């Protein structure tokens, strides 16, 4: 595996799920793979789950880890090609990427979108340049348009809690928020649900449809109640408008904040999912997050194993 | 050992002191205990000694360490139960605690008091919630009301430098400062001196008595010279008022800044202690900090071994 | 080796170059040396290459690493001796140095100059105090006047790419910048070129000569084209004025920004060097940085091996 930027980099979903199952049973058996190998984790944005779960995964594999908080600990990066660098960004991303390639065997990078320049975000300006110049395998720790380690952990969790002998119905349900958030989690989750060929639905207010590129096979709804009918999994998540790029929702939020009565009456067995951090009682009510059907901490736990699977693939192909 | 939040979590002071002695002689012999175990260190406040000594202790035991600077590297935490999270704190402490429990085998957390809300600080709002939701053993790296790893290192140091065949006289001496500081070090030191059944005195200006809960057996003084008469150890430390909560001392500071003449005439063998960081020539004069009777660097060194003892207890009970 | 602060601490350049060659061939063979040894890396300033390459070197040697970002993660340091510490710096450097000595076997520290107080910078106020109070070997990770790990990596690179049977001509070429930068890289490079007895030239505008202490055997030029004639290596770097201390160049920058035509006509085989971070198209044109004669990433890679050689020397002398 030369890179892990989206579901496209996974040769077989079903093989991956089986291998993850093995990793969870015996997480420490492949430490010879990671011996004297170094993982660099580069953060242009805050992180808790990604930061800690990926470190844990690397430790499980016997790797060394170096963390770099760009801008806090190091120099801000210039992104523009051919830039005359006379501003407040003293190092070019191409130099940073090439230099770090000398020190690391694998590099993970987190780079959120601006939510201001749609074209640059769609083109993954930061990630794509980093990948272009980096000479070792790159893992996306969430980029402008995708969060593949999260989506992979989500799919692992869905696989573990799916009803027997039934293709599960999965609903990605837009939820209110107080800030304009990226579409990355929604996009990425859509891609992975599509790749896993599940019965996949998305509910969102009009004008808050995701970029169609990520949702070719999703069934779209503008009404939450009809969308979640008989759902097995409801993945709750906010995103800002893609079409009016970065716009915060200013309509009526009430119909978009789920409660346990709706779950009981419409989809009594539905599991509740969220990638976190979650603004409690704004995006999701406490009664759902803390209820028996919540899977949010299982998702967080599976972040270790999605990262560990990716690292293991890279270490193995590195050796071969 | 399921938690280390105060001296109450130490079953036997004398056994602990003996075991620490062993650890200091052979610090690397228990690395099998820590293999594939991960310590998470969570800082809501700055740290030098705690940060480095606890990492060192974990390395001595063969553990992996992950450090999280909350707010700098990750998301600010909401502390209120049932909060409608529409402010500037995007993640609830309960979620952070539960998530980190998935990634770590033991978690240490530093959370200073506000010094504004006495009730919340007394109730240890942050630490108690973190402990409530954390599913692995928790170590206090200094909380609103206590600093137990420091006090344990202080007791180890006192034990090493005590006069033979004599119960030592230990004086906690309030000192001036330019900022309102927590009472945590004073409280905690008082608890540990009481638990160790030493001859324990506290000198402070009127109105600067610590919370009586921590000082049931201490002999209180309002005059520094009479307090330190024949002392074996003088632990110098500032704290703001507990009773007029968080108030900075505005009286005459002169009588509270010790000098070497006082030591020579009143307690010529007294050792000088401070937990650091210390504002030189404000809290303690250079002549005392740098003099032959200073133990401040011995205290700092023993921070490794107090942390290592606690980690070792937790790893051992984890296995059994 | 008790310290690594300048080229003076290297007993023999030629022996060092041979030993580095061995380290590059078999970087992992000396992990017994570093077992249970801890490297502390202390940053008062930003860092990418130094931070990551030194961590990598320590990992290669089997050491544990602890990083401290002073001021972000810990307390600001007071530097003045005998200070009455009533300002915004709650910990004295002497205490920090002594305390960290208890936790680390070797400590690296980065401390840039103020560029305001020439005397304090010349006297290495921060580094010299740190060394004075630190009880374990100290490595400079760039100080007010020198950057020896960089210069050593530069010399290793020059050695690897030198023409056969010829003493190479090396030119340190001042370049424009938008901010006042330290002289440390220029000073240090000059010292190492002198120690290696190469044919060493410096070109800079009038008034931008480095401190003569560092350039006793350098041939100085005020014209770039005549300086680089027949050069084998051109090391491009900005610095602010030493004589009008910290002053930014306000003359005509055009003659100081090299292009590939100049290289082709004056020194067609010259290799291009820079320590990075580099402001592209301000200090050095893309065509040179990205051209076939650029060695900038080789220099960055050799940062691992300069650090590893130093650490290995210290670990070996520690054992003997």
């Amino acid at each position: 595996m030369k890179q892990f930027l989206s579901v496209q980099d996974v040769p077989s979903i079903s093989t991956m799920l089986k291998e993850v199952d093995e990793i969870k049973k015996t997480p420490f058996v492949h430490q010879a793979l990671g011996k004297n190998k170094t993982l660099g984790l580069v953060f242009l944005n805050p992180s808790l789950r990604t930061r800690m779960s990926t470190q844990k995964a690397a430790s499980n594999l016997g790797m060394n880890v170096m963390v770099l908080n760009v801008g806090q600990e190091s120099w801000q990066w210039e992104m523009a090609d051919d830039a005359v660098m006379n501003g407040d960004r003293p190092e070019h991303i191409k130099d940073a990427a090439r230099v770090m390639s000398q020190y690391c065997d694998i590099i993970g990078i987190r780079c959120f979108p601006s939510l201001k320049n749609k074209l640059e975000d769609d083109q993954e300006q930061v990630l794509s340049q980093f990948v272009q110049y980096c000479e070792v395998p790159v893992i996306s720790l969430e980029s402008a348009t995708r969060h593949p380690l999260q989506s992979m952990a989500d799919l692992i969790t869905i696989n573990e809690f799916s009803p027997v002998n039934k293709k599960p119905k999965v609903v990605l349900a837009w939820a209110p928020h107080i800030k304009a958030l990226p579409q990355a989690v929604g996009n990425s989750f859509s891609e992975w649900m599509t790749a896993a060929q599940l019965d996949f639905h998305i509910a969102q207010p009009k004008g808050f449809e995701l970029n169609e590129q990520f949702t070719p096979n999703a069934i779209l709804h503008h009404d939450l109640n009809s969308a979640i009918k008989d759902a097995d999994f409801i993945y709750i998540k906010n995103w800002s408008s893609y079409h009016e790029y970065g716009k915060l929702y200013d309509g009526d939020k009430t119909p978009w904040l789920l409660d346990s009565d709706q779950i009981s009456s419409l989809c009594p067995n539905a599991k509740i999912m969220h990638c976190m951090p979650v603004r409690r009682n704004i995006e999701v009510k406490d009664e759902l997050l803390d209820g028996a059907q919540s899977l949010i901490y299982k998702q967080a736990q599976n972040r270790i194993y999605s990262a560990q699977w990716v690292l293991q693939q890279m270490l193995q192909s590195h050796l071969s």
Side-chain angles (χ1 to χ4, degrees), chain A:
Chain A
M1 184 177 280
K2 290 290 176 205
Q3 60 176 26
F4 181 77
L5 310 181
S6 81
V7 72
Q8 306 294 336
D9 296 311
V10 179
S12 157
I13 294 277
S14 60
T15 305
M16 175 277 285
L17 288 169
K18 275 179 215 141
E19 289 170 348
V20 165
D21 202 45
E22 282 307 303
I23 289 171
K24 293 185 75 163
K25 283 180 198 150
T26 55
F28 305 124
V29 295
H30 288 296
Q31 298 192 342
L33 278 180
K35 187 169 166 59
N36 293 329
K37 295 280 184 280
T38 298
L39 172 66
L41 295 180
V42 179
F43 291 97
L44 285 82
N45 310 98
S47 173
L48 186 151
R49 274 149 293 275
T50 299
R51 185 184 293 272
M52 296 185 89
S53 63
T54 313
Q55 280 187 68
K56 174 67 177 168
S59 297
N60 285 354
L61 285 165
M63 300 185 80
N64 300 314
V65 183
M66 303 197 289
V67 176
L68 187 77
N69 297 306
V70 177
Q72 279 177 47
E73 296 183 327
S74 182
W75 326 92
Q76 293 282 358
W77 291 350
E78 173 62 50
M79 306 296 176
D81 236 356
D82 308 319
V84 176
M85 290 173 56
N86 58 2
D88 56 358
R89 296 169 171 270
E91 176 133 53
H92 200 286
I93 187 172
K94 74 163 71 166
D95 292 321
R98 281 168 174 162
V99 166
M100 286 190 283
S101 302
Q102 321 274 330
Y103 306 148
C104 303
D105 298 284
I106 299 171
I107 299 179
I109 181 168
R110 165 163 284 200
C111 47
F112 289 175
S114 67
L115 289 185
K116 286 172 188 159
N117 189 323
K118 188 178 188 173
L119 184 65
E120 280 183 6
D121 290 346
D122 275 355
Q123 293 178 339
E124 291 282 4
Q125 196 205 24
V126 181
L127 181 65
S128 63
Q129 283 205 75
F130 194 86
V131 168
Q132 181 183 347
Y133 295 112
C134 189
E135 293 157 19
V136 297
V138 175
I139 300 174
S140 165
L141 307 175
E142 185 170 347
S143 69
T145 66
R146 289 180 180 93
H147 193 355
L149 284 175
Q150 178 66 50
S151 306
M152 181 172 160
D154 297 335
L155 178 59
I156 295 167
T157 310
I158 287 172
N159 186 53
E160 292 172 339
F161 288 89
S162 276
V164 185
N165 295 328
K166 186 199 165 208
K167 180 181 281 202
K169 175 176 177 179
V170 180
V171 182
L172 173 60
W174 183 93
H177 206 279
I178 63 163
K179 295 181 106 174
L181 293 198
Q183 297 96 29
V185 169
N187 290 340
S188 206
F189 187 72
S190 300
E191 275 193 334
W192 285 72
M193 293 303 103
T194 300
Q197 299 183 296
L198 304 189
D199 178 17
F200 180 55
H201 299 247
I202 311 177
Q204 73 279 295
K206 281 188 185 152
F208 283 75
E209 296 79 10
L210 294 167
N211 181 347
E212 289 72 14
Q213 168 197 344
F214 296 101
T215 61
N217 298 311
I219 299 161
L220 303 189
H221 305 253
H222 289 127
D223 176 72
L224 185 56
N225 283 337
S226 66
I228 65 170
K229 182 89 176 67
D230 298 325
D232 296 296
F233 298 91
I234 305 177
Y235 196 105
I236 306 173
K237 181 75 185 89
N238 170 269
W239 56 87
S240 60
S241 175
Y242 175 70
H243 295 285
E244 289 188 66
Y245 196 63
K247 191 191 152 203
L248 190 64
Y249 179 72
D250 57 6
D252 181 13
K253 294 176 179 179
T254 324
W256 295 98
L257 184 61
L258 273 172
D259 62 32
S260 52
D261 286 347
Q262 282 167 282
I263 304 294
S264 304
S265 62
L266 294 167
C267 47
N269 298 316
K271 306 292 189 189
I272 303 299
M273 302 180 73
H274 191 284
C275 59
M276 294 191 270
V278 56
R279 286 182 174 263
R280 290 172 165 262
N281 305 310
I282 294 287
E283 291 177 80
V284 194
K285 291 194 171 190
D286 281 344
E287 64 194 40
L288 295 184
L289 291 168
D290 298 331
Q293 289 166 245
S294 171
L295 295 181
I296 62 172
Y297 305 116
K298 300 287 179 189
Q299 292 172 263
Q301 188 177 39
N302 279 327
R303 292 294 307 275
I304 302 171
Y305 304 105
S306 60
Q308 190 165 339
W309 183 82
V310 169
L311 290 169
Q312 199 167 311
Q313 299 300 306
M314 288 178 170
L315 290 169
Q316 279 165 342
S317 56
H318 204 73
L319 288 178
S320 64

